Amino acid sequence: MITKPLHKCLSKWIEIDLDQLKRNISLIKDFIKPALYCLPIKANAYGHGIVEIAKAADGVDYLAVSSLEEGIALREANIEKPILILGAFLKEQIESLIDYKLEFSVSSIYKLKLIEKILAQTTKKALVHLKIEVGMQRVGARPQTGLEIFQQIQHSPNVLLKGIYSHLSHSEEQDQEVIENQIEIFKSFIAQIDRQGIICHLLNSGNILNPFCERFDMVRVGLLSFGFFEKPLKNELSEIKSFFSLKSRITYFKVVDEGCGISYGHSYKTDKRSRFVTIPIGYGDGYRRDLSNKGEVLIRGKRFPIRGNICMDQLLVEIGDGEAYVGDEVVLIGKQEAEEITVDELAKHCNTIPYEILCGFNQRVQRLYLE
Ligand SMILES: *Cc1c(COP(=O)(O)O)cnc(C)c1O
């Protein structure tokens, strides 16, 4: 964490308002109850900082990450909540998964046997979730095989079945039929077994908002917890907000003549004598190069366009007749006075989804946590 005076030295930073995270969590918790709340914080908590988000997310029941490495990072930061590893594991990772008390996903008889073999020489226990295939074809046992895995776990005293889950391939309302078919596969699977003491979970953010989706015992709410959503939120959820801002400062000012090319390759040419400022952030930080000649920034509450190609460490903004001075704060994502630039806006320019924009900001940009 960075203290306030040091903050003044930063030329670019991401501001994270942990109070808003807590408000989002409490709203979602009320909305999903009695289902348990699993917060996926893979990919550095969608760019927000994995350890800080885990520490602030007191209200949730479970955390989920994608890999052993992310799980270890959390345990080494003394996070004691149950942690589910969503991806498939490698044989070499089994011992660490067990030693760090990470819950991991089993989706084949072969993998279950590998776990049993390692446990046979110890008194340790493995905590697992059985992952069923319903339509992603990514990781998951076909229901028939799932049943065999389930039965075999019943005979393995050292393998504890904590959960059974799957993941839907769609979440848009117009895909209701596809979604309902996949839910049905999951439902018929769990109908065949004794679910007592086993957490069944299926839905992600998009699908908890679909009224036709059954929630089972737990839901995995990533994107919505971070305050991002596709369609407007109603009533009790309408206070959910993003709490991620990307900021920088003007480091240089210049006047450029008419007909001048701007930045690498001169992809922009001035049509009149104009005024430009340089901002010390670029694709080397995760501010995507696709935003060249498309993105905008906020300075003194006004929008100004990015001109020319975004460089690795810097970009250029045309301020024209606008007011701006070296040292002024620049908002690339977030609010300034009445104006706002959203992650959605960036994602649209980059022809991608908000998830990819958020995950793209790397460690070169310091995170500053506000409480
Ligand atoms: C990332 C992930 C989630 C969370 O999805 P959101 O759309 O961010 O809510 C849930 N389940 C699995 C298996 C995931 O990989």
Side-chain angles (χ1 to χ4, degrees):
M1 275 198 208
I2 300 157
T3 54
K4 266 279 149 70
L6 185 55
H7 162 212
K8 291 207 191 316
C9 307
L10 296 174
S11 59
K12 59 199 160 202
W13 68 96
I14 287 167
E15 257 172 46
I16 310 273
D17 177 0
L18 293 175
D19 272 345
Q20 186 60 45
L21 167 71
K22 289 174 190 170
R23 281 194 288 277
N24 290 354
I25 287 177
S26 128
L27 293 163
I28 294 170
K29 206 171 157 162
D30 279 346
F31 180 71
I32 60 172
K33 71 182 179 205
L36 297 174
Y37 191 153
C38 171
L39 177 65
I41 49 172
K42 56 204 184 188
N44 199 25
Y46 297 46
H48 292 66
I50 187 165
V51 167
E52 290 81 2
I53 295 297
K55 285 188 173 157
D58 247 355
V60 306
D61 303 291
Y62 253 80
L63 299 169
V65 292
S66 75
S67 65
L68 168 66
E69 299 90 306
E70 291 176 323
I72 292 178
L74 290 173
R75 286 291 184 241
E76 298 204 320
N78 298 318
I79 306 293
E80 285 169 6
K81 274 193 202 301
I83 299 172
L84 169 61
I85 312 287
L86 297 161
F89 61 86
L90 297 168
K91 177 169 79 188
E92 293 76 9
Q93 299 176 330
I94 298 174
E95 280 187 86
S96 302
L97 287 163
I98 294 170
D99 289 344
Y100 281 98
K101 294 199 168 46
L102 298 167
E103 303 184 15
F104 53 110
S105 310
V106 176
S107 340
S108 70
I109 299 268
Y110 168 71
K111 292 280 181 84
L112 178 60
K113 290 201 165 130
L114 290 174
I115 302 169
E116 286 174 333
K117 204 167 139 198
I118 284 174
L119 287 169
Q121 299 136 26
T122 71
T123 56
K124 293 172 184 168
K125 295 203 187 312
L127 309 171
V128 303
H129 291 237
L130 171 55
K131 174 98 188 269
I132 300 298
E133 174 59 58
V134 299
M136 274 289 275
Q137 312 303 341
R138 191 168 61 175
V139 176
R142 284 196 204 96
Q144 190 49 44
T145 317
L147 214 50
E148 285 173 46
I149 299 173
F150 177 81
Q151 280 150 2
Q152 182 153 342
I153 294 177
Q154 303 305 299
H155 298 114
S156 301
N158 297 325
V159 181
L160 304 185
L161 187 64
K162 299 273 297 188
I164 297 178
Y165 80 107
S166 191
H167 189 50
L168 302 170
S169 64
H170 292 59
S171 61
E172 306 276 306
E173 221 157 338
Q174 71 261 27
D175 299 317
Q176 178 162 355
E177 207 181 306
V178 183
I179 297 170
E180 279 179 338
N181 281 335
Q182 296 184 359
I183 293 179
E184 198 43 49
I185 298 174
F186 188 70
K187 244 174 124 164
S188 3
F189 179 78
I190 58 178
Q192 302 171 70
I193 56 166
D194 178 10
R195 280 171 62 180
Q196 192 69 31
I198 298 171
I199 302 168
C200 295
H201 50 113
L202 181 64
L203 306 187
N204 70 338
S205 296
N207 283 305
I208 66 161
L209 300 171
N210 285 332
F212 54 87
C213 288
E214 192 180 326
R215 299 206 179 115
F216 303 98
D217 307 318
M218 181 162 81
V219 288
R220 304 183 304 269
V221 192
L223 198 68
L224 185 65
S225 306
F226 295 104
F228 300 94
F229 38 84
E230 297 273 315
K231 45 202 167 197
L233 297 172
K234 290 192 281 249
N235 314 329
E236 64 264 48
L237 293 181
S238 59
E239 293 300 306
I240 291 182
K241 285 191 200 77
S242 157
F243 49 92
F244 179 106
S245 317
L246 175 65
K247 299 185 177 178
S248 184
R249 285 185 204 283
I250 297 173
T251 50
Y252 194 72
F253 164 87
K254 80 203 67 71
V255 175
V256 178
D257 282 334
E258 183 185 337
C260 247
I262 298 293
S263 188
Y264 286 125
H266 289 178
S267 63
Y268 184 83
K269 274 204 169 65
T270 52
D271 53 10
K272 57 178 183 307
R273 189 177 156 89
S274 188
R275 298 155 76 238
F276 282 75
V277 291
T278 305
I279 320 291
I281 189 166
Y283 64 80
D285 301 291
Y287 191 80
R288 298 274 299 264
R289 193 167 174 274
D290 310 62
L291 294 161
S292 300
N293 293 311
K294 289 184 191 154
E296 294 182 318
V297 306
L298 305 179
I299 303 169
R300 297 188 174 234
K302 292 206 173 63
R303 277 180 180 258
F304 295 103
I306 293 172
R307 300 296 197 203
N309 287 344
I310 291 169
C311 312
M312 188 187 286
D313 314 311
Q314 303 182 79
L315 57 83
L316 294 161
V317 168
E318 180 170 5
I319 56 165
D321 298 329
E323 198 187 357
Y325 297 92
V326 169
D328 276 0
E329 190 169 290
V330 179
V331 171
L332 298 106
I333 296 173
K335 279 197 180 126
Q336 200 181 50
E337 297 172 28
E339 276 286 352
E340 181 174 10
I341 292 177
T342 63
V343 172
D344 251 353
E345 177 180 335
L346 268 58
K348 289 207 172 78
H349 284 315
C350 297
N351 199 14
T352 185
I353 50 177
Y355 299 79
E356 195 186 6
I357 297 293
L358 289 168
C359 295
F361 295 106
N362 57 41
Q363 298 298 346
R364 194 163 75 157
V365 193
Q366 301 247 27
R367 270 68 170 171
L368 195 70
Y369 295 90
L370 314 175
E371 284 189 84

